[in-house]
Amino acid sequence: MSAAPQVRFYQVGSYAAGNRLLGADAQSDQADPGRSNTITCGHRACQGCGEALGARYALDAAQRAAGGKVVAVNATGCLEVFSTPYPETSWQLPWLHSLFGNAPAVAAGVAAALRAKGRTDVRVVGQGGDGGTVDIGLGCLSGMFERNDDVLYICYDNEAYMNTGVQRSGATPPTARTATTQAVGEEPGAPFGQGKNLPLIAMAHEIPYVATATVAGLRDLEAKVHRAMELRGARYLHVLVPCPLGWGTASHDTVRIARLAEQTGLFPVFEARDGEVTDVTPIRRRLPVEEYLRPQKRYAHLFEPEPRTDVIAHLQRTADRNIARFGLLAHEEASS
């Protein structure tokens, strides 16, 4: 499996868009005028929704990789609610909605039914937010991994239960303010030492493929979906999708915030096969965590009325540990 082609863009001041000036082998799936548009107009996502963007790219890539033969199983959550306001839907592929916590089990059942019918050409994608994946659906997801069911499961991680009012989830980062982790007391926001690192949990199951991605690297996201679809068995993709409403960021800053999560080291981007890391996306320009924290109102209490330098330093140590663990520094910086 080859990595996504590296493309430099020099389009400032031009009217070129969508990579259409590139050769077909280097174009993104979204540059294809015949793309499937798996999620189309009419959905009710918030302006700047990272989840809508990530799902569009991921499912279009899956459709292209599978020749248009994909069944999607969706957990309850923002993605399900904003895309299927009864009796309407924005999905243009076979799509099932289950409960909040059993999407991995339902997806595994769909895959088993297709296998029994001899339909190995039809692929199954399960998807959900961090609440339905990291918390409520973790048992079903672990079972799917243990059985090595032929499902690609995608978690769109916006780091809280956004659909029900921005409550803390197992993916909420330390010190972030949510409706259930208010910025009060000596340890403001979500506490340190809680939560789950689900990509590492998935790797511990030694399944064929685990990867992380963000909506700041959409070509990378497409490439990882294509690589996952080349394999059989259980595969897991964890995508960081900033939520302007829950994070308190400007709607036009979604991609920038996701990029800052990468460049600070707070969200490592990597691939793993059979429990071993095989590739990482290096940090091109290392930034302090403060540059990621400041634009988000969920971290405003770290800077006002007095800067919490001790807490910020703790978060910086977390980022530094990620950088060291995954070897995220670009070669030229690591050797300097």
Side-chain angles (χ1 to χ4, degrees):
M1 294 180 293
S2 59
Q6 297 299 309
V7 179
R8 291 186 178 274
F9 294 96
Y10 300 100
Q11 298 182 353
V12 176
S14 78
Y15 292 97
N19 308 341
R20 289 184 175 85
L21 299 182
L22 299 173
D25 60 336
Q27 290 182 7
S28 72
D29 293 339
Q30 291 296 310
D32 182 359
R35 63 184 180 272
S36 60
N37 287 323
T38 48
I39 182 169
T40 187
C41 63
H43 67 70
R44 302 179 185 183
C46 298
Q47 187 176 26
C49 173
E51 190 167 34
L53 179 62
R56 174 187 176 91
Y57 272 73
L59 267 295
D60 277 2
Q63 280 276 76
R64 190 174 192 180
K69 297 180 179 179
V70 173
V71 175
V73 177
N74 212 126
T76 297
C78 272
L79 181 59
E80 170 263 322
V81 169
F82 73 62
S83 65
T84 58
Y86 182 82
E88 302 166 353
T89 181
S90 294
W91 294 101
Q92 297 195 105
L93 81 168
W95 183 92
L96 290 80
H97 167 226
S98 59
L99 302 177
F100 214 141
N102 71 346
V106 173
V110 172
L114 290 168
R115 185 175 65 252
K117 292 171 66 69
R119 295 299 306 273
T120 57
D121 57 324
V122 181
R123 309 302 299 279
V124 181
V125 175
Q127 53 184 5
D130 52 288
T133 304
V134 175
D135 291 340
I136 304 174
L138 182 58
C140 288
L141 186 64
S142 178
M144 191 199 94
F145 291 162
E146 181 184 350
R147 295 185 301 270
N148 199 29
D149 293 315
D150 190 23
V151 175
L152 167 59
Y153 190 93
I154 305 174
C155 174
Y156 303 104
D157 182 7
N158 54 26
E159 299 187 336
Y161 288 88
M162 299 305 182
N163 178 55
T164 53
V166 195
Q167 294 89 2
R168 178 196 174 277
S169 81
T172 300
T175 77
R177 183 187 63 202
T178 70
T180 52
T181 55
Q182 295 291 330
V184 295
E186 291 300 316
E187 298 296 336
F192 286 99
Q194 295 186 14
K196 311 176 188 78
N197 189 324
L198 198 47
L200 295 185
I201 293 173
M203 287 173 58
H205 289 75
E206 298 189 355
I207 59 177
Y209 186 77
V210 175
T212 64
T214 80
V215 292
L218 291 168
R219 290 173 62 82
D220 175 66
L221 172 58
E222 287 183 341
K224 286 172 176 171
V225 171
H226 275 272
R227 284 197 281 280
M229 296 297 285
E230 293 173 2
L231 302 171
R232 293 284 178 171
R235 291 142 289 145
Y236 181 71
L237 181 56
H238 195 101
V239 188
L240 184 68
V241 290
C243 171
L245 177 66
W247 294 19
T249 55
S251 58
H252 61 265
D253 275 344
T254 298
V255 170
R256 183 174 76 92
I257 296 298
R259 183 173 294 114
L260 288 171
E262 289 187 40
Q263 298 303 304
T264 56
L266 285 172
F267 188 87
V269 178
F270 65 91
E271 290 180 285
R273 295 286 303 273
D274 303 316
E276 298 291 337
V277 174
T278 57
D279 194 21
V280 301
T281 298
I283 292 174
R284 295 172 60 187
R285 185 169 69 91
R286 187 177 184 180
L287 297 171
V289 297
E290 186 173 335
E291 293 201 25
Y292 171 72
L293 303 173
R294 277 192 178 277
Q296 304 180 53
K297 290 182 180 178
R298 63 175 178 165
Y299 293 115
H301 54 282
L302 299 184
F303 302 98
E304 298 175 356
E306 297 293 334
R308 290 295 305 270
T309 55
D310 56 332
V311 177
I312 296 171
H314 194 157
L315 293 171
Q316 184 64 61
R317 288 193 293 274
T318 299
D320 295 343
R321 185 167 61 251
N322 286 338
I323 290 171
R325 170 187 282 177
F326 292 97
L328 296 177
L329 289 184
H331 295 303
E332 57 270 19
E333 183 174 339
S335 60
S336 62

